[in-house]
Amino acid sequence: MSRYFTTPIYYVNDRPHIGHLYTTLVTDTLTRFHRLQGEDVRFLTGTDEHGQKIEKVAKREGVAPIDVADRHAPTFRDLWKRFGVANDDFIRTTEPRHRIGVTELIRRLEAAGDLYVAGHEGWYCVGCEAFYPEKDLEGGKCPTHGTAAEWQKEENVFFRLSKYQDRLLELYEKGSVPGIPFVFPETRLNEVRSFVSAGLKDLSVSRTAIEWGIPFPGHPGHVVYVWLDALTNYLTALGFGSSDEELVARYWPEGDERRVTHLVGKDILRFHAVFWPAFLMSAGLPLPTQVVSHGFWLKDQRKMSKSVGNVVRPDALVDAFGVDALRWHLISEMSFGQDASFSDEAFLVRYNSDLANGLGNTLSRAVRMASDAFGAATPGERCDDNDVKRVAEEAVATWDAAFRGCRLHEAAEAIRTLLGAIDGYITAKEPWKRVKAEGVTPALHRIHFNALEGLRIAAVMLAPIAPGASAEVLRRLGTPKSAEELRPSDLAWGGLPLGAPLAPAAPLFPRADAKAYFAELAKESPVTEETKPVAAEVPAAAPAAPAVPVPAAAPAAEPARISIEEFFKADLRVAEIIAAEKVEKSKKLMKMRVRIGEEERTIVAGIATAYTGEQLVGRKVVVVANLLPAKLMGIESNGMVLAASLPGTGEPSLLAVDPSVPSGTKVK
Ligand code: MSP
């Protein structure tokens, strides 16, 4: 059985961000999981370089489109390298091998009688590179990008998509391989099914309004529609249409003895689950096994995207905490299939709790104690009947099923459970007391064996998600193996060598000081409304870098306790808003004039997404009156308005004050 995993090929109109990185890491993680099983796996990624989007950027910059592509394609390739992504191939749609394959696919569509020429006009979103029916636009704007759609009119080559409606519905019913739904998760399969059931229109597959694309065979002046061009990459990268189709025969043959899985964001599901199988049916080619779709990373409650301008790039976090920490965070933070908000704060909390504490600290503790007890060596006796073994076996089974079911966050959770159990086991068994009371007994050997062996298995389970950290833990446990060398037998209990050298080492993931991190970040690039790392979770008014609830000691997720004296240092007052206007060029900031007793002052707060100026004037709010002044978008803010940050969205909701309370009244 062979497996072929693909990511979408990314547009080269910009550098990669966390959203692109996520899809690639999910694919890499699944690829690594199946390689660990010893399977024959191929992994493809690449860049989508044609189309109006790229042509527009090139025109704006006054350069050739290929120059734009040449500039950005390596930024994707390099980022994947930096993150240890183990792709076998990287395809660029401007490569000759791709053009050959696309030309061959079109020849087949033509031979099937599925192409014809007709006039066409409609609303086009350049961000999506797709036409939209007017009813799907929101106030004339694309629902995904929020940018105005353009009316486009031209004569195009059409593909008879409507002809495939019934076969597509059958595909959604039965799957391309029996027992495997064609689209995962099921909610997305249902969406696709109802879209197709509502009736399919034929699809325009050539463009004359642009020049940047593959010339459409037999239609001078037309270029191939960028989605027909792009989707075909999955086959052209295997040599489809060339004189050497060995890889097609190995990874995309007819029959059930292979799995072809396309990983995509939900934004491009329709292209993969409707257009792509229809093209393949028309061309008489086998269908992929499954299209797996994940949700969006959001920022400011919107899909993170270049067109919206709200992207988070991974650079600063990776520089500070390393590749494996971000890999771990992205995979475990997002419930696969659903949307998630990205925030540096959440990253740091998870880093401290899962990596510094859960993995790093448990490892250091176990290694140091065993090393002290047995003279810098692993225990000399094994143990095959104990609680850690039972938890490890269950965790491995959960982890395995989670990966096979594409529930990557659950695979991460299984690792967390095992680490927690090991930590609890050490605490309960108190080996440090036993060694003092009884000396080095066989029971002590067994306790340490169980803790270290549990850690070894956790490290093997970690390999698909964080291969670097996995290899380092294995090295420290005296079982050096790279993630690529691991096999299922490494997951079985008992692999820890006895009496092998073992020495305490520096912390694997040093604890992060969140406050210091943000202060440093602010120094490097002064925090502004637009650059602040996590806008969704910024307090309503944010005069300084946001305080992060990461105490110096575990548990990391709980804010540190403070004394009543410390609380009273904050001078909380009732204030009346007497004027309010949105700060120009900012999505969130509201500039307000407030009265606190006799005094008037200006406060800038991140509440403009939830309140208009009109709704605010006359309202009484609670403010922190004794904050040091801070500049936000060049305006000096003197104080902070208190608001709840709503769960999930982070949207601010102002604390209500009875209107009869005079302004200036102290709140305590
Ligand atoms: N070029 C097309 C895909 C063609 S595939 C034959 C395209 N490219 S893209 O650069 O816009 O990237 C699309 C993919 O990047 C999404 O489908 C998704 O996998 C990933 N993401 C981009 N932004 C994302 C988020 N904000 N969140 C999660 N993933 C996102 O569409």
Side-chain angles (χ1 to χ4, degrees):
M1 160 95 70
S2 69
R3 286 189 191 265
Y4 183 35
F5 283 99
T6 67
T7 72
I9 47 171
Y10 302 101
Y11 287 128
V12 283
N13 58 333
D14 192 27
R15 292 180 298 131
H17 60 66
I18 296 261
H20 306 121
L21 179 63
Y22 178 71
T23 317
T24 303
L25 291 182
V26 163
T27 317
D28 188 53
T29 299
L30 290 175
T31 298
R32 286 174 174 279
F33 168 77
H34 285 285
R35 286 192 181 137
L36 198 156
Q37 307 302 322
E39 296 176 22
D40 175 13
V41 188
R42 191 165 181 85
F43 173 9
L44 171 72
T45 186
T47 41
D48 187 354
E49 307 193 352
H50 291 128
Q52 189 167 350
K53 222 191 230 303
I54 318 301
E55 194 176 79
K56 268 196 165 176
V57 174
K59 278 209 177 112
R60 198 175 57 225
E61 292 183 4
V63 299
I66 190 66
D67 294 337
V68 176
D70 283 345
R71 174 163 17 109
H72 288 305
T75 63
F76 284 91
R77 206 192 282 260
D78 293 348
L79 191 71
W80 304 160
K81 236 184 232 152
R82 185 166 186 207
F83 274 82
V85 172
N87 54 306
D88 297 287
D89 196 356
F90 185 103
I91 188 155
R92 298 182 56 181
T93 54
T94 45
E95 289 175 58
R97 62 172 172 158
H98 179 68
R99 178 187 292 224
I100 291 169
V102 171
T103 308
E104 171 58 17
L105 188 86
I106 290 175
R107 192 194 63 70
R108 290 183 180 224
L109 303 186
E110 182 84 61
D114 283 341
L115 299 181
Y116 64 94
V117 175
H120 182 52
E121 55 190 309
W123 292 108
Y124 196 78
C125 169
V126 178
C128 297
E129 294 277 17
F131 281 100
Y132 273 93
E134 192 154 354
K135 67 173 176 43
D136 289 354
L137 298 175
E138 290 168 1
K141 291 182 174 168
C142 163
T144 303
H145 292 96
T147 46
E150 296 170 8
W151 187 257
Q152 292 198 355
K153 188 173 176 181
E154 51 182 318
E155 182 155 277
N156 297 146
V157 179
F158 275 78
F159 170 69
R160 291 188 203 283
L161 182 63
S162 55
K163 177 175 153 187
Y164 292 94
Q165 176 159 344
D166 291 344
R167 279 184 66 188
L168 286 169
L169 289 172
E170 195 187 331
L171 172 66
Y172 307 146
E173 214 43 55
K174 297 190 179 150
S176 103
V177 170
I180 302 181
F182 185 66
V183 173
F184 178 86
E186 203 184 343
T187 46
R188 301 264 171 251
L189 175 64
N190 294 337
E191 277 170 28
V192 171
R193 189 188 281 126
S194 42
F195 171 74
V196 173
S197 305
L200 286 177
K201 288 212 176 90
D202 289 350
L203 179 72
S204 98
V205 289
S206 81
R207 319 287 299 139
T208 53
I210 61 165
E211 289 168 13
W212 182 234
I214 296 177
F216 204 102
H219 295 273
H222 292 238
V223 295
V224 178
Y225 171 46
V226 67
W227 273 101
L228 171 55
D229 166 342
L231 288 161
T232 313
N233 89 89
Y234 302 130
L235 275 172
T236 60
L238 295 177
F240 172 74
S242 76
S243 55
D244 178 3
E245 292 202 348
E246 200 190 314
L247 289 174
V248 181
R250 182 160 158 195
Y251 293 104
W252 204 311
E254 291 284 358
D256 287 359
E257 279 312 295
R258 49 83 180 173
R259 298 282 180 267
V260 175
T261 310
H262 298 308
L263 269 296
V264 299
K266 65 180 180 183
D267 49 339
I268 58 171
L269 177 61
R270 209 173 271 185
F271 301 97
H272 285 78
V274 183
F275 300 173
W276 180 225
F279 294 149
L280 292 168
M281 286 170 184
S282 166
L285 291 164
L287 302 181
T289 317
Q290 196 170 50
V291 181
V292 174
S293 154
H294 63 72
F296 290 153
W297 282 102
L298 308 175
K299 204 169 161 261
D300 307 339
Q301 290 87 58
R302 298 215 51 172
K303 178 191 178 219
M304 198 183 287
S305 114
K306 151 91 173 154
S307 319
V308 179
N310 61 346
V311 297
V312 175
R313 305 211 193 265
D315 314 62
L317 287 174
V318 172
D319 289 346
F321 303 102
V323 158
D324 281 293
L326 193 54
R327 285 185 68 119
W328 172 261
H329 179 73
L330 290 177
I331 297 295
S332 41
E333 179 80 358
M334 183 178 259
S335 284
F336 192 87
Q338 295 170 18
D339 292 349
S341 259
F342 188 88
S343 94
D344 288 25
E345 279 86 349
F347 169 87
L348 289 166
V349 169
R350 188 176 282 291
Y351 172 90
N352 276 339
S353 68
D354 290 358
L355 299 178
N357 201 34
L359 176 62
N361 206 19
T362 310
L363 177 75
S364 307
R365 223 170 139 210
V367 166
R368 193 184 50 246
M369 286 191 298
S371 182
D372 288 352
F374 312 123
T378 59
E381 194 165 324
R382 51 183 283 150
C383 174
D384 291 328
D385 180 15
N386 61 81
D387 288 343
V388 178
K389 178 172 184 254
R390 279 183 282 280
V391 176
E393 282 166 355
E394 250 171 54
V396 168
T398 308
W399 168 89
D400 188 277
F403 273 137
R404 290 181 196 279
C406 283
R407 299 181 309 275
L408 288 84
H409 59 290
E410 286 182 20
E413 181 62 36
I415 301 172
R416 209 177 290 126
T417 303
L418 175 56
L419 289 168
I422 299 167
D423 193 39
Y425 176 82
I426 298 174
T427 306
K429 295 286 177 188
E430 300 184 319
W432 61 95
K433 279 196 188 160
R434 285 173 188 250
V435 73
K436 271 194 202 141
E438 305 160 10
V440 178
T441 60
L444 190 78
H445 277 275
R446 288 197 293 272
I447 290 169
H448 284 304
F449 179 86
N450 296 338
L452 295 175
E453 174 61 2
L455 279 160
R456 190 194 63 77
I457 291 179
V460 178
M461 292 165 72
L462 189 64
I465 304 176
S470 159
E472 178 56 18
V473 176
L474 291 175
R475 193 187 64 75
R476 291 187 185 190
L477 292 172
T479 50
K481 258 189 192 173
S482 71
E484 290 73 25
E485 290 167 322
L486 295 170
R487 287 296 166 265
S489 56
D490 292 302
L491 289 158
W493 184 262
L496 189 79
L498 302 181
L502 185 67
L508 190 63
F509 289 103
R511 205 174 167 76
D513 179 340
K515 273 193 189 150
Y517 173 73
F518 285 118
E520 197 54 38
L521 209 63
K523 256 195 261 157
E524 282 166 20
S525 56
V527 179
T528 67
E529 152 71 353
E530 310 301 339
T531 60
K532 195 177 277 294
V534 208
E537 296 186 7
V538 173
V548 180
V550 181
E558 269 182 29
R561 300 269 178 127
I562 57 167
S563 66
I564 189 87
E565 287 75 18
E566 281 173 280
F567 173 74
F568 277 132
K569 282 186 192 161
D571 184 18
L572 300 181
R573 299 278 169 172
V574 172
E576 182 179 356
I577 302 174
I578 50 177
E581 59 176 356
K582 206 166 164 289
V583 174
E584 236 186 86
K585 293 207 191 115
S586 164
K587 285 193 279 311
K588 294 195 310 294
L589 292 187
M590 182 69 75
K591 178 181 161 192
M592 289 169 287
R593 196 74 188 149
V594 302
R595 192 173 291 135
I596 306 175
E598 301 299 316
E599 189 207 344
E600 263 185 38
R601 54 167 97 172
T602 298
I603 295 183
V604 180
I607 57 173
T609 50
Y611 299 91
T612 61
E614 271 168 19
Q615 289 169 326
L616 292 169
V617 174
R619 194 170 175 138
K620 295 229 170 96
V621 289
V622 180
V623 299
V624 184
N626 61 339
L627 272 183
L628 290 170
K631 278 217 164 143
L632 286 158
M633 299 280 283
I635 307 165
E636 187 173 283
S637 178
N638 271 287
M640 171 170 147
V641 180
L642 293 189
S645 180
L646 296 181
T649 61
E651 193 79 334
S653 173
L654 289 170
L655 293 197
V657 180
D658 189 317
S660 62
V661 178
S663 81
T665 308
K666 183 147 182 73
V667 178
K668 52 181 188 170

